[in-house]
Amino acid sequence: MSGDTLVLDLVLAGLLVFLAWRLLTLSDLFKATVLFIVFGVLLSLAWVRLNAPDVALAEAAIGAGVTGALVLDALRRLDARGPADEAQPLRLNLPRLVGALLVMGLGAFLLWSVLSLPPGWRGLSSETAAAMPRSGVVNPVTASLLNFRGYDTLLEIAVLMLAVLGVWTLNAEPMPPAEPAGPILDVLVKALLPPMVVVAGYLLWAGGHAPGGAFQGAAVLAAGGILLHLARPFNVANRGVVRLVIGFGFAVFLLVGLTLATLGGRFLELPERHAGILILMIETAAMISIALTFVVLFVGNARDNAGRDTS
Amino acid sequence: MGPSEWLSMVMVSVGVFFFIAGSVGLIRLPDVLTRLHALTKADNVGLGFIVLGLSLQAGSLLELMKLLLLWPLALLASSCACYLVAEATLLQSRRGPGARRHVR
Amino acid sequence: MTPPIIYASAGAAVLCLGLFGFLAARHVLRRILALNVMGSGVFMMLVALAARTDPPDPIPHALVLTGIVVAVCVTALALALLTRMCRDEGSALLPEDRDIE
Amino acid sequence: MTEFMFLMAAAVLGSVALGLWRVVRGPTRADAMMAAQLVGSGGVAVLLLLSHAMGRAHLVDVALVVVLLAAMVSVAFVRRLGPVRGDDGTE
């Protein structure tokens, strides 16, 4: 590794730490949110440098994009009830000083454990490489998510559904008044939606052999939905169809697992011959559900365009 | 190194120069609209030069197509975003400096 | 000094900053941001330590992908709770923080 | 060539860091909204340069996603935190 690449890594890592510090200490929460979004984009550059392009895609789309839009939306709702900032967010008093010292101790311990790891340790990469031919796909991250660690991903989709249930139950977000979209915004939405759908489909298809997959594709698709909602607010009410689509991905995944179990295999243990097509099926269903889930998390449970309380 | 590599290195350097110019403009210029102008114009030109320089080195047709699709998308997105931010700034200033933004 | 060590150290620093912010901040929105920052620090350490071999270990990548998705769910739910609290009680601080000045 | 691309990527990253000074300093919210554009185009440039330097063509996909998502976040900024149209009777 030559010195030139190290310059980039040092600048990037330093910038990440600086952003984390500033976004927690700036008194204006709006600027903190801006820095949070910047932090997400730069973090995806760090994933690229660490040879984790799948994670980079997810971070850019979910960590920076969808989360950023969610926080901005919440900030507006808080703003309506007085200034959303603090004079001195992290001023040191005695309890905080003790906390800071403890956290610094934790940091020193982590640093020591990182530096003292044996250099030749290979983790689970050899085991994964040995199991890859039986997984049905070429991308080891997709194989791990959908095949080796199927349980985790199934429950992850369940967590997404639970979050939607929580947001619907809290009913916290009366929709803001629909502002007319200007002509330029209309042009932007019309021009960006088709590439977003194409890129989402491409990421889903590419997931088998290259970086990409259901979650990244879903986030790009959801970004399209959120963009549309920002320009022309629409309503995704808690209705039968919406619930059906949100549950679809989980249902398909569960059904595949149960069918395999009844056919004599074990739950979620994909047979070698059909693993590729099963993974694509599960991922397609999951992408549609997850995309709608993200949009619903953003839109909330607003039934009423006038901004009145709907509870 | 062949001439195409030299050419792409020159183009990438010009692109990076525009990026730096854009950031200097963002810091030095006196008001929001001029800063917006500096940022959007310089960054778009800079990205264009970098895309051109790298497309000379593209390994496959698919990669070349993706690169050439990327720049118009970035142009469109950032010029529309620039317009929207400028419009918001004008709306804000027309209401007067003391006017509190309120959300109904 | 290799890239994995640089990013793992930065990840430890980001984790600690996030943890301190989560413990010390009063505004709930900042606490939510801090929680996300802390999670990112954990992810940085995981992926950085996976990158010490070439090709990198894919299992931490899959774990971090799951983590990112769960983090956005948690954030959405926490923001909905915060907005509801703010609507019902008129403050974005937790009850025990409100009277301290 | 590879080293040159790494250096150029570092330079673009540095210029993004310079621009962030304005975001933190303000003074108006519009200055902070520019951050989405700044980090969008800068991030894409770094990704493209890294894609060439690290010899991984699929990083262009990441750049595409960053472009699309940065546009969405820019719109979210303006629509959620810009002034509400029609407040002053001019629209």
Side-chain angles (χ1 to χ4, degrees):
Chain A
M1 197 58 71
S2 72
D4 299 330
T5 65
L6 226 50
V7 173
L8 179 73
D9 292 322
L10 285 172
V11 171
L12 189 53
L15 209 52
L16 282 170
V17 176
F18 172 77
L19 281 173
W21 171 58
R22 284 310 282 163
L23 84 88
L24 294 172
T25 51
L26 271 175
S27 63
D28 185 354
L29 267 173
F30 169 65
K31 282 178 193 166
T33 307
V34 173
L35 292 188
F36 177 68
I37 294 168
V38 174
F39 180 80
V41 178
L42 293 187
L43 199 55
S44 71
L45 296 182
W47 300 144
V48 165
R49 282 298 297 138
L50 291 169
N51 275 333
D54 292 272
V55 185
L57 276 170
E59 186 72 47
I62 305 175
V66 176
T67 312
L70 278 169
V71 177
L72 282 174
D73 194 50
L75 199 60
R76 178 210 177 106
R77 291 168 204 282
L78 296 185
D79 235 17
R81 297 173 175 81
D85 56 353
E86 309 168 278
Q88 284 179 314
L90 296 182
R91 187 176 36 178
L92 278 184
N93 49 19
L94 189 64
R96 278 182 181 166
L97 199 65
V98 175
L101 286 176
L102 285 177
V103 168
M104 275 155 91
L106 173 70
F109 170 71
L110 285 175
L111 210 59
W112 171 78
S113 52
V114 164
L115 292 175
S116 62
L117 274 174
W121 185 69
R122 296 190 46 83
L124 290 170
S125 36
S126 353
E127 285 86 344
T128 318
M132 277 312 291
R134 285 181 277 118
S135 70
V137 286
V138 184
N139 180 359
V141 178
T142 303
S144 163
L145 276 177
L146 271 301
N147 200 341
F148 309 151
R149 288 176 55 244
Y151 271 111
D152 278 18
T153 308
L154 180 69
L155 292 178
E156 176 186 1
I157 298 173
V159 167
L160 278 159
M161 296 201 312
L162 282 180
V164 169
L165 269 183
V167 168
W168 270 345
T169 311
L170 284 165
N171 194 17
E173 312 198 359
M175 199 186 285
E179 302 160 28
I184 298 285
L185 185 54
D186 265 349
V187 169
L188 184 65
V189 171
K190 273 183 197 141
L192 281 189
L193 275 184
M196 277 175 159
V197 175
V198 172
V199 168
Y202 169 76
L203 286 177
L204 175 70
W205 168 77
H209 57 87
F215 293 100
Q216 293 93 337
V220 176
L221 211 55
I226 293 173
L227 186 67
L228 196 63
H229 177 73
L230 287 167
R232 306 194 166 282
F234 58 81
N235 209 344
V236 214
N238 179 1
R239 276 200 318 259
V241 187
V242 177
R243 290 188 213 172
L244 216 64
V245 178
I246 286 181
F248 180 58
F250 185 75
V252 168
F253 206 160
L254 195 65
L255 214 64
V256 168
L258 289 177
T259 313
L260 291 174
T262 48
L263 288 179
R266 273 188 288 171
F267 183 58
L268 286 180
E269 199 178 76
L270 304 182
E272 193 180 329
R273 263 194 318 141
H274 307 294
I277 189 75
L278 283 177
I279 285 179
L280 191 65
M281 210 170 85
I282 295 170
E283 281 209 294
T284 311
M287 182 173 96
I288 295 167
S289 293
I290 297 165
L292 187 66
T293 303
F294 283 147
V295 174
V296 168
L297 288 180
F298 183 77
V299 174
N301 185 23
R303 283 181 218 121
D304 164 328
N305 264 342
R308 280 193 301 274
D309 194 354
T310 52
S311 57
Chain B
M1 276 198 294
S4 83
E5 293 194 330
W6 278 109
L7 191 62
S8 69
M9 272 168 82
V10 170
M11 289 236 206
V12 168
S13 317
V14 173
V16 172
F17 168 76
F18 273 105
F19 265 98
I20 293 170
S23 284
V24 170
L26 195 59
I27 290 178
R28 296 279 303 165
L29 288 174
D31 65 89
V32 175
L33 293 181
T34 49
R35 289 200 283 265
L36 200 53
H37 169 83
L39 174 73
T40 310
K41 195 164 271 187
D43 277 14
N44 277 340
V45 175
L47 190 60
F49 270 108
I50 290 178
V51 165
L52 276 181
L54 290 179
S55 57
L56 290 178
Q57 306 290 322
S60 66
L61 190 65
L62 182 68
E63 194 191 338
L64 183 70
M65 270 167 55
K66 278 194 234 168
L67 274 173
L68 294 182
L69 174 76
L70 199 113
W71 190 48
L73 267 182
L75 260 185
L76 179 92
S78 101
S79 48
C80 288
C82 168
Y83 172 86
L84 291 172
V85 172
E87 190 195 28
T89 309
L90 284 180
L91 278 174
Q92 187 99 54
S93 65
R94 215 185 288 164
R95 211 169 299 144
R100 259 192 69 85
R101 193 174 60 80
H102 59 97
V103 181
R104 286 161 303 181
Chain C
M1 283 277 261
T2 56
I5 295 294
I6 293 173
Y7 288 106
S9 315
V14 167
L15 194 168
C16 292
L17 282 169
L19 180 60
F20 179 65
F22 182 64
L23 294 175
R26 291 172 67 221
H27 200 290
V28 176
L29 185 61
R30 196 183 301 275
R31 285 196 165 167
I32 296 172
L33 291 184
L35 195 64
N36 271 296
V37 167
M38 188 180 134
S40 301
V42 176
F43 299 157
M44 276 172 86
M45 291 189 69
L46 268 173
V47 176
L49 294 178
R52 294 185 308 158
T53 53
D54 189 36
D57 187 356
I59 299 295
H61 294 185
L63 286 174
V64 168
L65 254 168
T66 309
I68 289 174
V69 176
V70 172
V72 71
C73 291
V74 170
T75 308
L77 193 58
L79 289 173
L81 274 167
L82 166 63
T83 325
R84 186 61 195 257
M85 182 181 81
C86 202
R87 199 179 85 193
D88 290 352
E89 303 181 16
S91 169
L93 307 183
L94 292 178
E96 58 266 35
D97 286 333
R98 283 181 201 153
D99 41 343
I100 310 165
E101 216 17 84
Chain D
M1 187 86 174
T2 308
E3 260 115 54
F4 172 78
M5 291 297 175
F6 269 117
L7 271 183
M8 288 293 118
V12 174
L13 202 61
S15 94
V16 170
L18 267 183
L20 282 180
W21 177 84
R22 173 59 75 188
V23 174
V24 175
R25 172 103 194 290
T28 65
R29 284 195 162 186
D31 287 302
M33 288 180 197
M34 289 180 212
Q37 277 175 272
L38 174 76
V39 82
S41 52
V44 168
V46 174
L47 280 169
L48 293 180
L49 292 169
L50 280 183
S51 155
H52 187 269
M54 294 169 70
R56 287 169 209 268
H58 53 240
L59 292 187
V60 181
D61 297 350
V62 186
L64 261 172
V65 170
V66 169
V67 165
L68 295 174
L69 270 292
M72 188 272 279
V73 170
S74 292
V75 174
F77 267 121
V78 176
R79 293 292 277 183
R80 283 291 178 261
L81 294 162
V84 177
R85 274 160 166 269
D87 265 11
D88 52 350
T90 52
E91 290 294 320

